[in-house]
Amino acid sequence: MTLYKHELKMNRMSFAVWFLGVASMCAFCVFLFPVMEESMGDLSDAFASMGGFSAAFGMDQLPITTLEGFFGTEIGTIYALGGGMYAALLGIAALSKEETAHTAEFLHTLTLSRRGILTGKLAAIVTLLAAFGLLHYGVFLSASALIGESIDLRSLTFFTLAQSLCQLELAAVCFALSALSKRSGLGVGLGLALVLYVLDLVSRITDKAAFLQYITPFSYANATDIFVNRGIEAIPACVGGVVALTALATAYFIYTRRDIAA
Amino acid sequence: MQSTQKAIDIRGLTKTYGHNRGIDNVSFSVDRGEIFGFLGPNGAGKSTTIRCLMGLIKPTGGAADILGMDFLTQRHDIMKRVGYMPSETQFYPSMKVSEVIRFAADVRGMDCREEAAKLCERLKVDTNKRVEELSLGNRKKVGIVCAMQHKPELFLFDEPTSGLDPLIQAEFFELVQEYVSGGTTCFLSSHVLSEVKKYCGRAAIIKEGRLIATDTIENLAHTNAKSVRIVGLRDIALDGAENIIRHDNAVEFIYNGNINALIGELWDKKITDLTIEEPSLDDVFMHYYGTDE
C-alpha cells in the first residue's frame, strides 16, 4: 500500500498535465459543435462519401452534423490518441524509470518483494487510468450539457469503458516492455500507441487489412462503431483482454527473475 | 536467532555476465558483532558480491546465508533485518529528504521517527531540502539514515564514505561503532585501506572477481613478504621483488622470495643502509594487487 500511494504521488503531476491537456481539447471540440453544426450542414454528405478517408474516421457511418457523429470523428479521436499515449507512457516508464534514474537499488533493498513492486505499480496504473476515464466521462457529459445537447448515455458509457480497456491493454503491453528493458523506452511506448492507432485506420480502409482489428486495441474502442452499434464488439475486446493478461503475466515472469541495474 | 550463527556465510558465490567475469567462487564469512572490511579496487567485484547478497542480481552459482537465512528463498525476512546503502545512492529527485526517510520507514512498516531524527542531527542532514538539491555527500548521508533508522541487525555498506567529508566520515564510523557495540554486525566494502585498518577487525581482499585473502587485519599484515629498503642502490632486478619504488639514492620494494637470494644479490653491491621489516597493511594491499595471477 505504501508503494501504491508513493506511485500515485509520483504520477500526480503528469496525470494532471495529461488530463487537463486531453480534457480541454475534448471540451473545446464539444463547445465548437454548435458552430460547426451550422456551418457543416451542407457538407455532411460530402464528408460521408470520401471513400477510404470517410471509412477510416467513421464518417460514413454517422453524420458529422450530429453530436454522436461529431464525437465519433473528432472528440473520440482526440481522446483515443491522448488516452492511448498517456497509458503507453505510464506503462513503459513504470519499471524502467527506477533503473534509468538509479532509484531501483533503493526501492529493491527495502522490504518489498519484486512481486510486491510489480503489484503496487500496476495497481497505481489501473487507478490512474480509471480516474482518467471517469473524469473524462464527466467532462463529456458536462460539456454536452453546457451546449444544450444530450448524448446517448449508453454509447458514451460503452465508449469510455472500451477506451479504458484499450488504455489498460496498451499500458499492460508497455509494462511488459518496461519489465524487459533497463532503458526508459518512452519513444517505444509513444511509437507503439501511434502505430496501433494507424493500424486501426488501415483496417477500416481496406478489407484486406481487416485482420488488424484483432491486433490493435483501438478497433474495439472506436467511437463511431460504438455509437452506431450502442455496444462493444466482443471478440476484439476479449482478444484485447487476453493480450493484456498475457503481457502482465510476462512482466511478472521476467521481472521476478532478471538482474536489476545499478 | 542463535548467537552462534554467522551474520554472513558465503559459499562459492559466482556471477558471470555472459562471457564476462563478475565474481568467481567467492567464499567467506562474517561473524556476528564484527566490523568486516571488503577490500578491492574499482571493478574487483565488491559491488557484484554485495548486489548478489541483496538479491538485486541473481548469482550464477554458489550459496549464502544472511543472519542464518538463505539469501535467495528468505530474502523478504532478511531485508527486514538488514540496512543497506549502495555506493551510488539515488532517491526520487522531486521528494523532500524527510519524505524519502519516511517512505523507507513506511515500506518497512515501522515508526522510525525518533531514530531518524537522532541520525539526521548527528549527520547534519537537512530534511527540508529536495533530493534534486543534494550533493553526492548529502545524498549519501540520507542513505545512511535510511539504512540505520530501523536499527537493523546487519549493515551492508558499499563504499559508504565516498563523497563524505572527513568530519561526517568520522561521525559515520562513530555511529557504526555504537550500533556494533549494541550487537549489530557491519559489513563494508571499501578501497580506502586506512578506514578498514582503523575500524575493521577482519577483512577480505578481492581481486579480479576472486577472493585472494580473508583474515584479521593483523594477520593480513603478517605475510611471508617483507618490506625492503636499500640505500645506495637506484634499482634492483631480482625474482620476488614487487612494487619497486625507485628513489635518487634508494630503492624500496616488497620482497616475496628467498632471503638468501636477496643477500646474495647485495653481496658485491656498495650499499649504505638496508632495512628489512614486516610490511604495513598498505604494502600488503599493494602486494596483492600488484601480483599478476
Side-chain angles (χ1 to χ4, degrees):
Chain A
M1 187 55 93
T2 306
L3 179 64
Y4 169 72
K5 287 183 193 166
H6 168 76
E7 283 296 311
L8 290 181
K9 198 174 170 184
M10 290 287 105
N11 281 295
R12 65 188 168 184
M13 189 57 78
S14 67
F15 176 84
V17 169
W18 277 94
F19 167 67
L20 290 174
V22 177
S24 61
M25 281 195 286
C26 291
F28 179 71
C29 280
V30 175
F31 296 142
L32 271 182
F33 176 68
V35 182
M36 301 289 281
E37 186 184 19
E38 286 172 20
S39 59
M40 290 193 305
D42 300 331
L43 293 172
S44 181
D45 289 344
F47 275 124
S49 55
M50 287 193 289
F53 183 78
S54 303
F57 290 95
M59 290 184 290
D60 57 340
Q61 297 184 69
L62 276 177
I64 198 168
T65 47
T66 63
L67 181 59
E68 279 80 9
F70 189 71
F71 194 96
T73 53
E74 304 292 330
I75 301 158
T77 302
I78 293 169
Y79 183 59
L81 272 174
M85 287 195 288
Y86 175 57
L89 287 181
L90 266 183
I92 203 84
L95 299 164
S96 57
K97 73 178 176 188
E98 301 287 354
E99 285 168 278
T100 51
H102 307 290
T103 50
E105 210 154 4
F106 170 63
L107 187 64
H108 282 263
T109 52
L110 299 171
T111 52
L112 295 163
S113 65
R114 293 208 188 174
R115 274 200 184 84
I117 290 171
L118 283 159
T119 306
K121 285 178 175 283
L122 188 60
I125 289 173
V126 172
T127 304
L128 288 165
L129 290 179
F132 194 80
L134 265 176
L135 288 171
H136 275 91
Y137 186 69
V139 168
F140 299 146
L141 284 177
S142 311
S144 306
L146 281 171
I147 61 167
E149 293 275 347
S150 65
I151 192 162
D152 180 28
L153 207 58
R154 179 186 161 91
S155 297
L156 183 67
T157 307
F158 271 117
F159 168 69
T160 317
L161 285 173
Q163 280 294 328
S164 293
L165 179 60
C166 166
Q167 290 161 9
L168 282 172
E169 186 184 337
L170 275 169
V173 171
C174 289
F175 193 72
L177 293 174
S178 186
L180 260 171
S181 173
K182 294 171 183 177
R183 299 186 178 184
S184 88
L186 293 181
V188 173
L190 279 179
L192 182 71
L194 292 172
V195 165
L196 290 172
Y197 182 78
V198 171
L199 290 184
D200 177 51
L201 296 183
V202 173
S203 75
R204 289 165 193 285
I205 292 169
T206 166
D207 287 342
K208 288 178 184 169
F211 70 93
L212 291 174
Q213 67 179 303
Y214 297 104
I215 294 174
T216 168
F218 290 103
S219 68
Y220 61 76
N222 181 273
T224 309
D225 290 349
I226 292 169
F227 275 94
V228 168
N229 301 321
R230 302 190 75 223
I232 306 171
E233 277 199 62
I235 295 175
C238 287
V239 170
V242 170
V243 168
L245 290 175
T246 308
L248 292 179
T250 307
Y252 273 78
F253 182 81
I254 294 166
Y255 200 69
T256 50
R257 285 164 176 77
R258 79 162 172 85
D259 290 349
I260 301 296
Chain B
M1 200 56 56
Q2 293 170 24
S3 58
T4 52
Q5 285 177 326
K6 304 278 186 191
I8 301 173
D9 186 18
I10 302 174
R11 302 177 299 276
L13 200 63
T14 299
K15 174 69 180 174
T16 53
Y17 300 95
H19 294 296
N20 296 323
R21 170 188 62 77
I23 52 171
D24 183 19
N25 200 25
V26 170
S27 300
F28 64 89
S29 62
V30 177
D31 294 330
R32 283 176 177 264
E34 74 170 327
I35 304 178
F36 188 95
F38 195 34
L39 281 164
N42 295 329
K46 302 189 298 292
S47 294
T48 301
T49 305
I50 294 174
R51 286 169 56 75
C52 275
L53 292 178
M54 298 308 292
L56 292 163
I57 53 178
K58 305 281 180 191
T60 315
D65 291 331
I66 298 176
L67 300 170
M69 294 175 279
D70 181 76
F71 80 132
L72 292 176
T73 59
Q74 293 174 281
R75 186 176 172 275
H76 184 71
D77 293 323
I78 290 169
M79 298 316 297
K80 284 182 184 170
R81 294 156 61 181
V82 168
Y84 169 65
M85 186 172 72
S87 58
E88 289 179 31
T89 318
Q90 287 284 3
F91 304 105
Y92 303 99
S94 62
M95 286 175 84
K96 282 186 172 181
V97 169
S98 58
E99 292 172 331
V100 169
I101 293 168
R102 183 73 179 270
F103 173 69
D106 286 348
V107 169
R108 293 182 181 280
M110 296 174 73
D111 182 355
C112 306
R113 280 177 291 184
E114 196 179 320
E115 193 69 6
K118 183 192 94 177
L119 290 164
C120 287
E121 190 184 337
R122 290 190 53 181
L123 294 167
K124 299 180 175 58
V125 175
D126 183 349
T127 56
N128 291 316
K129 278 197 169 178
R130 291 201 181 276
V131 170
E132 61 199 356
E133 299 172 63
L134 300 179
S135 63
L136 168 67
N138 281 323
R139 279 206 312 274
K140 224 80 212 205
K141 292 195 289 187
V142 179
I144 295 169
V145 176
C146 290
M148 289 181 166
Q149 63 173 342
H150 57 289
K151 300 181 191 170
E153 290 172 48
L154 171 66
F155 291 137
L156 273 158
F157 295 133
D158 192 1
E159 300 191 4
T161 53
S162 61
L164 294 180
D165 67 54
L167 287 175
I168 297 298
Q169 283 186 24
E171 190 66 40
F172 165 74
F173 278 112
E174 202 168 298
L175 280 166
V176 168
Q177 285 172 320
E178 285 172 25
Y179 282 107
V180 167
S181 67
T184 303
T185 306
C186 179
F187 174 87
L188 63 92
S189 81
S190 179
H191 57 249
V192 182
L193 194 60
S194 57
E195 65 187 24
V196 172
K197 266 164 67 180
K198 192 170 177 184
Y199 298 106
C200 297
R202 293 195 309 138
I205 301 177
I206 189 168
K207 178 189 176 186
E208 293 172 2
R210 289 182 180 178
L211 206 70
I212 50 175
T214 310
D215 214 327
T216 61
I217 299 297
E218 286 172 0
N219 286 345
L220 281 173
H222 287 83
T223 66
N224 290 329
K226 304 290 177 193
S227 173
V228 180
R229 178 183 169 83
I230 305 166
V231 180
L233 276 187
R234 287 184 176 181
D235 200 0
I236 189 158
L238 183 64
D239 285 347
E242 297 160 1
N243 308 114
I244 301 170
I245 301 168
R246 297 166 185 87
H247 301 284
D248 285 346
N249 190 34
V251 62
E252 292 175 45
F253 54 93
I254 299 293
Y255 185 60
N256 203 21
N258 188 317
I259 199 73
N260 292 315
L262 173 64
I263 292 167
E265 174 70 19
L266 300 177
W267 186 252
D268 56 348
K269 303 276 190 316
K270 287 189 175 179
I271 64 170
T272 54
D273 195 13
L274 170 65
T275 311
I276 301 174
E277 59 187 8
E278 291 294 324
S280 67
L281 190 58
D282 301 65
D283 292 330
V284 173
F285 193 70
M286 292 307 294
H287 163 67
Y288 281 124
Y289 290 156
T291 309
D292 291 333
E293 299 283 315

